[in-house]
Amino acid sequence: MNAHRFKSTLNNTLRSNTGSVYLVWILVLCCGGALTGLSGRSFFTEGNITDLLTSTTVLGLVVVGQTLVILLGSLDLSVPFVLSLSSVLAAGVMAGRSENFTAGIVTAILVSLAIGLVNGLLVGLVKINGFIATLGTGLVVSGYLFTNYRGSTGKASPELAAIGSASWGVVPWTTVAMVLCLVATALFLNRTRTGLHIYAVGGDPAVTRMSGIRESLPAIVAHSLSGLFAGLAGLVIVARLGVGSPEVGTQGGYDLLSIAAVVVGGAVLAGGKGSIWGSLGGILIFATIDSLLGIMEVNPYLKEVVRGLIIIIAVAVYAKRNQLKRSARFDSLRTKSTSSMKEGSIR
């Protein structure tokens, strides 16, 4: 009985979007190992694994927040600017001094959370489209950044720099922190009323209103958390680089790349469908492919081509799968309808 239950669970997982994402990631890992082996290099070295995990950390934190707003049926285009602002504020306040460690972190987190709250109020209360609202706040932050900062600024405190370089074996501490954020957010989405309301609002706003659920609170919470996680990603940047930069967010393309990772992870941009763990699979796919192309010394611009192809293929596969599911349901309903009509005619 247990074996049968395990087999059934495994089959359901593989058939789900999340299971398919991780299956693709495993295939990418195998292909990466084979390609690097044929070229006389090794993909699974300690240094490369550490670099792979490190590269997933910043994007992973941004993706956590982006997943929340996409589940809501919204978008957050301000994340790269919030990330950059967090980095320059933290590094500027710390100025390389241990006594400013706490002040730098608190300043970056509070400002990032405040920007996310503004986005949430614009979307949830003012009812501005999330794309427009977050684009507007992002442009405001961008204007502030490039007016007041030129190049690298500030310096990380020794404590933050130590956190950025610390690791357990091949696993950086910052990656562990990112995974804890993933777990906490997954629990929030599935075990709290507000988390379930985020799914409900994204799934069908009209039904949500008829059910008596307030749409404003989920929007405010989701966008506020998105700003918070973008701020944490900025702190990780400072911990790794030792300085803040007004361009680090836009150079990394974290707005579009985070949306792509969520979509590849099985989420629907219309909202209501997706998961944190699916988004993690999307992050791992992109990070693994980037690492592979880096080892193979492929033209960096080819990464954008590969990312684009991945997004197109993933969305096409999900759309085809959903179409087949709808067809199967329609066929079963048509069969039942036909059988009931035959029974009626016999009677």
Side-chain angles (χ1 to χ4, degrees), residues 3-329:
H4 177 72
R5 184 178 301 174
F6 173 78
K7 184 177 180 181
S8 176
T9 303
L10 180 62
N11 289 334
N12 291 334
T13 301
L14 292 176
R15 290 172 183 172
S16 68
N17 286 344
T18 302
S20 300
V21 170
Y22 284 98
L23 181 60
V24 170
W25 176 54
I26 293 173
L27 291 174
V28 171
L29 278 176
C30 294
C31 292
L35 290 174
T36 52
L38 291 174
S39 63
R41 304 167 186 175
S42 178
F43 184 79
F44 300 101
T45 62
E46 290 187 5
N48 189 54
I49 293 174
T50 300
D51 291 341
L52 175 63
L53 294 175
T54 302
S55 65
T56 64
T57 303
V58 177
L59 178 60
L61 288 169
V62 177
V63 165
V64 173
Q66 195 70 259
T67 301
L68 291 172
V69 296
I70 287 179
L71 288 176
L72 187 74
S74 182
L75 288 174
D76 192 348
L77 299 182
S78 66
V79 287
F81 309 107
V82 176
L83 188 155
S84 299
L85 180 62
S86 172
S87 74
V88 296
L89 288 177
V93 171
M94 289 180 185
R97 298 178 181 178
S98 298
E99 60 268 24
N100 295 338
F101 171 69
T102 303
I105 290 180
V106 171
T107 301
I109 288 178
L110 289 180
V111 172
S112 301
L113 186 61
I115 296 173
L117 177 61
V118 171
N119 287 333
L121 292 173
L122 291 175
V123 174
L125 292 183
V126 187
K127 303 300 181 184
I128 300 177
N129 180 274
F131 180 95
I132 300 299
T134 58
L135 177 61
T137 55
L139 290 175
V140 171
V141 176
S142 174
Y144 169 79
L145 285 170
F146 293 108
T147 300
N148 295 278
Y149 298 95
R150 292 287 186 274
S152 299
T153 183
K155 185 178 180 182
S157 66
E159 292 80 4
L160 187 61
I163 292 173
S165 60
S167 64
W168 282 302
V170 297
V171 182
W173 283 13
T174 52
T175 303
V176 175
M178 184 268 291
V179 173
L180 292 176
C181 290
L182 284 169
V183 173
T185 306
L187 292 174
F188 164 74
L189 282 172
N190 295 288
R191 300 293 180 86
T192 67
R193 180 177 298 179
T194 304
L196 295 174
H197 286 177
I198 288 175
Y199 275 106
V201 172
D204 196 326
V207 173
T208 302
R209 287 192 294 269
M210 293 173 62
S211 302
I213 298 175
R214 295 175 58 187
E215 296 179 65
S216 58
L217 181 60
I220 293 171
V221 172
H223 279 281
S224 297
L225 289 176
S226 180
L228 172 63
F229 285 122
L232 292 176
L235 290 174
V236 173
I237 289 288
V238 177
R240 287 174 52 191
L241 301 181
V243 295
S245 171
E247 301 178 353
V248 66
T250 52
Q251 287 176 347
Y254 290 110
D255 47 356
L256 299 181
L257 191 56
S258 62
I259 294 171
V262 176
V263 171
V264 170
V268 177
L269 287 178
K273 183 178 180 182
S275 70
I276 290 293
W277 304 116
S279 298
L280 175 61
I283 298 166
L284 293 172
I285 289 174
F286 281 119
T288 303
I289 290 177
D290 286 351
S291 178
L292 172 61
L293 295 178
I295 294 174
M296 301 294 292
E297 299 180 354
V298 176
N299 187 331
Y301 294 106
L302 186 60
K303 290 182 181 180
E304 305 303 325
V305 177
V306 175
R307 288 172 179 171
L309 291 175
I310 291 172
I311 296 169
I312 294 171
I313 293 172
V315 174
V317 170
Y318 296 152
K320 185 64 176 179
R321 176 178 294 178
N322 291 332
Q323 185 180 26
L324 291 174
K325 287 181 179 179
R326 287 194 295 269
S327 298
R329 292 195 194 101

